[in-house]
Amino acid sequence: MNNTGIITKIISNLYTVSVDGELYDCRARGKFRKDEITPLVGDFVVIDRENNYILEIKKRKNSLSRPMIANVDIALIMTSLKEPDLSLNLLDKELLCVENAGIEPIICLSKSDLLSKTEKNEYKKVFAYYKSIGYKVVKNTETFKIKRMLKGHTVVLTGQTGSGKSTILNRLDKKLDLKTSPISKALGRGVHTTRHVELFKVKGAFIADTPGFSALDLNFPKENLKMLFREFRGIECKFKDCEHIKEKGCGVLDALDNGKIKQTRYENYVKFRGEMK
């Protein structure tokens, strides 16, 4: 009898585990708290089906702390262009956190229908740059393309509040009928509709809907930062340990001056270095 399954939802101290299509609401054994291990959505676990307890958490291939999830292949980063307005600072932080965990990012643009013609042309140039450094970029209206990209993978939907995470899930599978909310006019930002991380089986993929956020901390080692900026890789500097800030002979600064590196990306790199401990 197979007792290995995947955690699909966590509410308070109750863990919903899917085993061979059957759902079990389980508690975690006390030893996990003692060992300072927190079960996450996406964890593969061994359970006691009769007593509804999680007995063992299998080794993870990766995990994220925001949203809290494990064993992810792809992060579909929902990126609103309007209401809430585009934040390249937040987008770059999301890309860094995801790639640091060894997860493939896909940028998914939403709210493009709210843009003026001028804004559309401006953002077309912005995301042409992201494509040029190797990022996949799609629109949330490209449903069939997204389904093909996600099929067979475990996927996390991540992004700021109001960017359309639940909306894209509803588009991918109309049967889900997840709750969505319009932007708060008083606050000028999204309203939380998703309160917990939950995995759904959608068209051959496991996709996690997650609560949104408006800010994100970089919680990986500072020395990882410069290598996570894709456009910095392969650029030769005079010094092996160059930090790409003020060093003479810095290839990154030369590339910036020559327009090969986008100014906003470099400015975010400097900001993030200052923010990290």
Side-chain angles (χ1 to χ4, degrees), residues 96-164:
L96 294 169
C97 289
V98 162
E99 291 197 88
N100 184 69
I103 298 167
E104 180 191 355
I106 298 174
I107 300 169
C108 186
L109 307 178
S110 64
K111 317 282 186 82
S112 60
D113 57 310
L114 302 179
L115 299 177
S116 66
K117 189 175 181 181
T118 303
E119 288 170 328
K120 283 181 181 178
N121 290 333
E122 180 188 333
Y123 290 146
K124 192 174 180 180
K125 292 174 188 174
V126 169
F127 289 101
Y129 176 80
Y130 280 87
K131 288 179 184 177
S132 76
I133 58 175
Y135 287 113
K136 294 176 182 175
V137 182
V138 295
K139 292 180 181 177
N140 68 334
T141 51
E142 297 178 289
T143 311
F144 292 109
K145 185 176 181 179
I146 294 169
K147 283 179 184 176
R148 285 199 306 271
M149 295 169 93
L150 305 186
K151 190 174 181 180
H153 296 289
T154 298
V155 182
V156 61
L157 287 174
T158 182
Q160 69 187 122
T161 306
S163 58

Side-chain angles (χ1 to χ4, degrees), residues 223-248:
E223 55 267 27
N224 292 11
L225 183 65
K226 62 183 179 181
M227 287 309 298
L228 288 169
F229 273 79
R230 292 186 174 194
E231 56 269 63
F232 293 3
R233 299 172 198 167
I235 294 179
E236 289 188 17
C237 292
K238 191 174 180 180
F239 304 104
K240 212 171 187 181
D241 58 349
C242 185
E243 296 298 339
H244 314 316
I245 302 294
K246 295 177 181 177
E247 299 90 338
K248 289 184 179 179

Side-chain angles (χ1 to χ4, degrees), residues 5 26 33-34 44 49 56 83 131 134 139 142 166 177 243 247 253 257 259 264 270:
C26 300
R33 191 181 297 111
K34 184 181 176 183
F44 293 101
R49 292 204 205 193
E56 178 190 347
E83 296 182 11
K131 288 179 184 177
K139 292 180 181 177
E142 297 178 289
S166 298
D177 195 25
E243 296 298 339
E247 299 90 338
L253 291 176
D257 291 339
T264 53
V270 175

Side-chain angles (χ1 to χ4, degrees), residues 15-27:
Y15 303 85
T16 301
V17 181
S18 175
V19 180
D20 297 333
E22 295 282 331
L23 296 179
Y24 298 84
D25 288 329
C26 300
R27 302 284 179 184

